[in-house]
Structures are given as C-alpha cells and as structure tokens.
Amino acid sequence: MLSKKYLTLSKLENTTDMANKTPGWTTVLKTLMAKYKAKKHPLEYQNTYQLLVMVILSAQDSDANINKIAPALFEIYPNIESLAVSNVEALIPHISKVKNFETKANWLIEIAKIIKKDKDIPLTMEGLTALKGVGRKSANVIMRETKQPAQGIIADLHVIRVEPRIGIIPETKDGNKVEKLLMQALPKEIWGEVGMAISFLGRETCRPTNPKHEECVVSKDCEYCRLHN
C-alpha cells in the first residue's frame, strides 16, 4: 500500500505540462548546478546504510552534530543487520546527543527490523517514504546521493529560505509546498540537482544575514540582490 505522504505529491512527478514551466530559470540555474553537481552532501556517510541513518538522525538537527557522533555509532552498528538484532535501549546511548533521540531510536530499530539487510534499502520515493522518519525531503536527498532518477526536488531549510529570495517561487515555510511549487516551476530534467545546488548556495553564499552578493552566480537574476545590493 502506498503511504499517504507519497500519494499526496506523487502525481506531480509525472508533470508534463511544460507550458507552465519558466524556461528562463533553467538557463539562470545552469551555472549554479554545474558548480555543485559533483559535490557530495555535507553528511559524511560512507555507504547507503550510513546515509539512511544519518539523514534520519539529522532531522531538526545539524549535519555537523550528526557527523560528530556518527563514527562511534557506526563502530557499534556497522550495518543494518546489526541494528536489526539490537533494541532501542541499547541504541539510545550512542545517539543521546541528537535531538529527539528517543523517537529516532525507535524509528531506526523499526526500519532495521523491516529491511534486515543493507542491500534491501529502498531507493524509490515510494519505498523510502514508507519508512518511519523519512519524508520527501529525506527521500530526495537519499535518491540524489545514490544517483537515482529524481522523483522530486530537495527542499531543505536552505532551499526554503533561498528560493523566494531568487524569485522562483513565493515565500512559504512549508517544505512540501515549496517542493510542489518548484516541481511546477522547473522542468523535470533538472529536479535531481537543482535542490541541492540551491541548498549549497544558501549554506555558502546566500547566508541569512550578510549574503555574499559579489560571489553569487545567480546575482544578476536574483530579486533579493537587486533590492539589497
């Protein structure tokens, strides 16, 4: 059975009405995507199992914090099989410095007992969002990092903040709505890279305060730059 959150937005993945797209944005974002296309996500994972675990742990927490606790965690739990034979009480001490660690421990143990082996980790939007603690944003990150065909656009906190500045979509704090609007505004062939590219732009250049306009590769087309530079 398809998960509710998958059904909510899945129809957008087959959007073919290119009349509603803005062709100019593909050109505007081309340089940005080229700059970050080969750049790995800031989470310092070594394989798909680690990526899945770290993405789940990073929800409402920082990548830096997850990178800090991950090496010791993966020494104890090197694969999903080791998690599957463990329990919440045993896992908690290794992730206690992570926000909402009790909830996340329950999610991880449940996921491990369902999947059982690293090779069976799902890599589709439907399969990933069926897992506890994995929403569309997390699924999009995992699919991008494992080079799967895009079924959506990464809409993390940086994307939510930066996209309205550039002027592609109106401002909203709802990540699912941001993704929906971006999927309507941008052609599917750039979905896989555009979200992460804008996320990196927000992390490195388009900071919440004192953005580096002179370093921004989209500054000449950015509404925020025109108003504040």
Side-chain angles (χ1 to χ4, degrees):
M1 179 179 292
L2 300 182
S3 66
K4 182 182 291 185
K5 52 190 170 182
Y6 172 76
L7 287 169
T8 302
L9 290 174
S10 61
K11 62 182 180 180
L12 290 172
E13 294 159 9
N14 295 316
T15 301
T16 57
D17 183 9
M18 298 307 292
N20 291 328
K21 308 300 182 187
T22 305
W25 284 122
T26 303
T27 302
V28 169
L29 298 168
K30 184 177 180 180
T31 302
L32 178 66
M33 290 188 291
K35 179 178 181 179
Y36 293 115
K37 185 173 184 179
K39 187 163 183 175
K40 187 178 176 183
H41 191 280
L43 288 172
E44 296 171 357
Y45 67 91
Q46 301 301 317
N47 53 51
T48 303
Y49 157 70
Q50 291 188 7
L51 174 63
L52 173 64
V53 170
M54 294 176 78
V55 165
I56 290 171
L57 292 177
S58 68
Q60 299 181 333
D61 207 322
S62 69
D63 294 338
N65 187 43
I66 305 308
N67 288 337
K68 186 176 180 180
I69 64 100
L73 172 64
F74 293 131
E75 281 188 17
I76 305 299
Y77 298 103
N79 49 44
I80 211 159
E81 292 94 325
S82 57
L83 266 181
V85 296
S86 188
N87 56 62
V88 172
E89 291 73 22
L91 175 58
I92 281 178
H94 304 288
I95 62 170
S96 60
K97 294 181 180 178
V98 175
K99 290 183 180 178
N100 302 318
F101 62 87
E102 291 183 348
T103 298
K104 292 173 181 177
N106 278 282
W107 288 344
L108 290 172
I109 295 297
E110 179 177 329
I111 288 170
K113 291 184 183 301
I114 291 171
I115 296 176
K116 296 183 174 63
K117 295 182 180 297
D118 289 2
K119 67 181 180 65
D120 293 325
I121 294 172
L123 294 175
T124 64
M125 182 63 69
E126 178 185 357
L128 285 165
T129 55
L131 303 176
K132 287 286 184 68
V134 181
R136 287 188 62 93
K137 183 201 76 173
S138 296
N140 282 322
V141 169
I142 293 168
M143 292 174 69
R144 186 256 185 184
E145 294 299 299
T146 55
K147 298 178 170 54
Q148 306 303 311
Q151 293 179 272
I153 298 174
I154 294 170
D156 63 14
L157 292 176
H158 303 283
V159 176
I160 291 170
R161 175 175 56 79
V162 172
E163 288 284 7
R165 281 187 171 185
I166 297 173
I168 300 175
I169 60 172
E171 184 173 6
T172 173
K173 302 299 183 183
D174 184 331
N176 284 335
K177 187 173 182 181
V178 167
E179 185 191 12
K180 178 178 179 180
L181 291 170
L182 288 174
M183 290 167 72
Q184 292 172 340
L186 301 173
K188 190 169 184 177
E189 58 263 28
I190 69 171
W191 287 3
E193 287 298 328
V194 69
M196 200 66 234
I198 293 172
S199 179
F200 280 126
L201 179 70
R203 294 165 190 262
E204 298 177 3
T205 307
C206 192
R207 303 295 300 149
T209 58
N210 301 317
K212 303 172 184 177
H213 297 296
E214 68 284 356
E215 297 179 13
C216 181
V217 297
V218 298
S219 60
K220 66 184 179 64
D221 297 289
C222 174
E223 288 187 4
Y224 189 86
C225 278
R226 286 197 292 269
L227 291 173
H228 296 86
N229 193 18

